[in-house]
């Protein structure tokens, strides 16, 4: 018997509508995240926006913060910035500890 193989698709980018479905969020909420600098799509017009891996991961985190904790888009932007700063500080501390 041949072993089963699992095929997974690697997502390179998502359109606005695809990102909304992926995050189970509405279009206006995602647009608000872009306005607050949480997400950085490629493309000049909303209809041509493409979100790549970093934005997709940030959108998923943003959606969890919004859904689970009730944080609005401005608050999500602040929380994600603080988390990024924390990670950077932890990386720097790790380098100092190793050195």
């Amino acid at each position: 018997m041949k072993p089963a193989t699992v095929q997974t698709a690697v997502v390179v980018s998502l359109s606005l509508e695809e990102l909304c479905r992926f995050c189970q969020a509405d279009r206006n909420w995602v647009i608000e995240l872009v306005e607050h600098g949480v997400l950085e799509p490629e493309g000049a017009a909303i209809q041509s926006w493409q979100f790549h891996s970093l934005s997709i991961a940030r959108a998923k985190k943003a959606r969890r913060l919004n859904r689970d904790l009730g944080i609005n888009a401005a608050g999500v932007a602040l929380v994600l910035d603080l988390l990024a700063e924390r990670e950077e500080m932890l990386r720097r501390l790790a380098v100092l500890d190793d050195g």
Side-chain angles (χ1 to χ4, degrees):
M1 180 182 247
K2 186 176 177 181
T5 59
V6 176
Q7 293 183 338
T8 58
V10 176
V11 176
V12 176
S13 67
L14 297 175
S15 68
L16 175 59
E17 286 72 25
E18 291 167 335
L19 184 66
C20 290
R21 281 192 303 275
F22 180 72
C23 293
Q24 298 176 343
D26 72 17
R27 179 183 173 102
N28 290 332
W29 185 77
V30 174
I31 291 170
E32 195 173 355
L33 291 179
V34 171
E35 291 170 351
H36 284 285
V38 173
L39 306 177
E40 297 179 2
E42 284 187 8
I46 291 175
Q47 297 80 8
S48 64
W49 279 356
Q50 289 293 307
F51 296 89
H52 298 285
S53 58
L54 181 61
S55 284
I56 294 168
R58 285 178 64 89
K60 196 68 170 176
K61 283 183 187 178
R63 184 66 184 125
R64 283 194 309 266
L65 289 167
N66 173 255
R67 184 189 61 234
D68 298 347
L69 302 176
I71 301 173
N72 66 14
V76 165
L78 177 63
V79 169
L80 291 177
D81 285 347
L82 291 172
L83 287 172
E85 285 181 30
R86 178 183 176 271
E87 289 299 318
E88 177 60 26
M89 283 190 246
L90 290 173
R91 274 193 289 278
R92 288 181 183 184
L93 284 173
V95 168
L96 291 175
D97 285 344
D98 290 340

